[in-house]
Each structure stands twice: as C-alpha cells, then as structure tokens.
Amino acid sequence: MLDLEVVPERSLGNEQWEFTLGMPLAQTVAILQKHCRVIKNVQVLYSEQSPLSHDLILNLTQDGIKLLFDAFNQRLKVIEVYDLTKVKLKYW
C-alpha cells in the first residue's frame, strides 16, 4: 500500500517521487520505471483508432490511481484516486 501526500490541485507523491499536474508523460514513465518495485501493474489505455482525440491513461491498478494525460501535448491533467482501500493518503 502506497503512503502518499496530497496537495490539492497540484500533486500526489511521497519523499521519493511526485506526480504533478502539468508534468510530461515521459517524466511520469521515468518515475514509474525507477520505482517499479513499489509501483506495480501499470496499465496503459489509449485509443488505437484516434490516439490524438482521447486522453492517454496510466492506470496504477494495484494502487487505485489513474493518471490522465492530454492526448496532444502529453501533459498530466488529472490525478484520480479511485480506490481508497489500496492507498493511504495524507493531507497537511
């Protein structure tokens, strides 16, 4: 179970890494690769027929988190925590 700090309208992360709104897809993938022992089961969802018209989604299925990226500029636009039983959130 991930133990993460929430900064409303800005980010989700911990001492080692942080997902920040507006960050590029490549930077997010680098974080996921570096911390693959902690963050597992990443599902990539996109439209094969029209990839530039639908958001690209990185679904962290083990942790109940979805990261939605703008299809055109590939920047993080939404951080969605959809299963609160799989993650521990802190808010200061």
Side-chain angles (χ1 to χ4, degrees):
M1 178 179 286
L2 292 178
D3 190 5
L4 303 174
E5 182 178 345
V6 176
V7 179
E9 299 183 26
R10 184 175 174 270
S11 66
L12 179 70
N14 59 25
E15 300 84 29
Q16 288 84 33
W17 52 266
E18 181 177 50
F19 299 128
T20 305
L21 294 177
M23 75 187 302
L25 175 64
Q27 184 179 358
T28 306
V29 171
I31 289 171
L32 294 172
Q33 288 176 328
K34 184 175 180 181
H35 299 283
C36 64
R37 293 180 188 209
V38 177
I39 304 171
K40 300 177 183 176
N41 299 332
V42 178
Q43 183 180 37
V44 179
L45 305 169
Y46 64 97
S47 171
E48 289 185 25
Q49 292 80 20
S50 184
L52 294 178
S53 63
H54 299 288
D55 291 340
L56 175 81
I57 301 170
L58 296 180
N59 186 9
L60 286 58
T61 56
Q62 180 176 311
D63 304 307
I65 299 170
K66 283 185 184 176
L67 305 172
L68 285 74
F69 293 83
D70 182 79
F72 186 72
N73 67 18
Q74 298 186 348
R75 298 271 180 181
L76 182 59
K77 68 178 194 176
V78 176
I79 302 170
E80 176 185 342
V81 178
Y82 64 88
D83 191 345
L84 294 172
T85 64
K86 295 181 178 182
V87 65
K88 182 179 177 185
L89 300 177
K90 292 186 280 186
Y91 173 70
W92 298 109

